[in-house]
PDB file of all heavy atoms in Angstrom:
ATOM      1  N   CYS O  50     142.421 103.317 130.463  1.00 97.00           N
ATOM      2  CA  CYS O  50     141.087 102.862 130.909  1.00 97.00           C
ATOM      3  C   CYS O  50     140.605 101.825 129.930  1.00 97.00           C
ATOM      4  O   CYS O  50     140.757 101.973 128.671  1.00 97.00           O
ATOM      5  CB  CYS O  50     140.095 104.037 130.981  1.00 97.00           C
ATOM      6  SG  CYS O  50     138.542 103.606 131.632  1.00 97.00           S
ATOM      7  N   SER O  72     119.903 110.267 132.165  1.00 98.00           N
ATOM      8  CA  SER O  72     119.015 109.492 132.945  1.00 98.00           C
ATOM      9  C   SER O  72     118.677 108.178 132.325  1.00 98.00           C
ATOM     10  O   SER O  72     118.867 107.943 131.095  1.00 98.00           O
ATOM     11  CB  SER O  72     117.783 110.290 133.265  1.00 98.00           C
ATOM     12  OG  SER O  72     116.991 110.498 132.078  1.00 98.00           O
ATOM     13  N   CYS O  79     116.708 106.680 123.644  1.00 98.00           N
ATOM     14  CA  CYS O  79     117.656 106.497 122.549  1.00 98.00           C
ATOM     15  C   CYS O  79     117.617 105.143 121.811  1.00 98.00           C
ATOM     16  O   CYS O  79     118.372 104.896 120.882  1.00 98.00           O
ATOM     17  CB  CYS O  79     119.111 106.744 123.108  1.00 98.00           C
ATOM     18  SG  CYS O  79     119.436 108.468 123.574  1.00 98.00           S
ATOM     19  N   LYS O 149     127.334 100.496 136.895  1.00 96.00           N
ATOM     20  CA  LYS O 149     126.737  99.444 137.771  1.00 96.00           C
ATOM     21  C   LYS O 149     127.209  98.104 137.314  1.00 96.00           C
ATOM     22  O   LYS O 149     127.500  97.243 138.133  1.00 96.00           O
ATOM     23  CB  LYS O 149     125.250  99.555 137.755  1.00 96.00           C
ATOM     24  CG  LYS O 149     124.503  98.532 138.552  1.00 96.00           C
ATOM     25  CD  LYS O 149     123.064  98.638 138.451  1.00 96.00           C
ATOM     26  CE  LYS O 149     122.284  97.595 139.281  1.00 96.00           C
ATOM     27  NZ  LYS O 149     120.798  97.697 139.131  1.00 96.00           N
ATOM     28  N   TYR O 188     124.236  72.734 128.373  1.00 93.00           N
ATOM     29  CA  TYR O 188     125.173  73.499 127.466  1.00 93.00           C
ATOM     30  C   TYR O 188     124.952  73.130 125.990  1.00 93.00           C
ATOM     31  O   TYR O 188     124.972  73.936 125.093  1.00 93.00           O
ATOM     32  CB  TYR O 188     126.602  73.265 127.799  1.00 93.00           C
ATOM     33  CG  TYR O 188     126.985  73.851 129.140  1.00 93.00           C
ATOM     34  CD1 TYR O 188     127.698  73.057 130.080  1.00 93.00           C
ATOM     35  CD2 TYR O 188     126.792  75.162 129.484  1.00 93.00           C
ATOM     36  CE1 TYR O 188     128.009  73.549 131.275  1.00 93.00           C
ATOM     37  CE2 TYR O 188     127.131  75.702 130.692  1.00 93.00           C
ATOM     38  CZ  TYR O 188     127.758  74.847 131.612  1.00 93.00           C
ATOM     39  OH  TYR O 188     128.138  75.388 132.831  1.00 93.00           O
ATOM     40  N   VAL O 226     134.147  86.928 108.406  1.00 91.00           N
ATOM     41  CA  VAL O 226     133.890  85.807 109.299  1.00 91.00           C
ATOM     42  C   VAL O 226     134.476  84.464 108.832  1.00 91.00           C
ATOM     43  O   VAL O 226     134.402  83.512 109.594  1.00 91.00           O
ATOM     44  CB  VAL O 226     132.388  85.713 109.584  1.00 91.00           C
ATOM     45  CG1 VAL O 226     131.897  86.931 110.317  1.00 91.00           C
ATOM     46  CG2 VAL O 226     131.619  85.461 108.320  1.00 91.00           C
TER      47      VAL O 226
END
Side-chain angles (χ1 to χ4, degrees):
C50 185
S72 64
C79 292
K149 178 180 177 180
Y188 294 127
V226 295

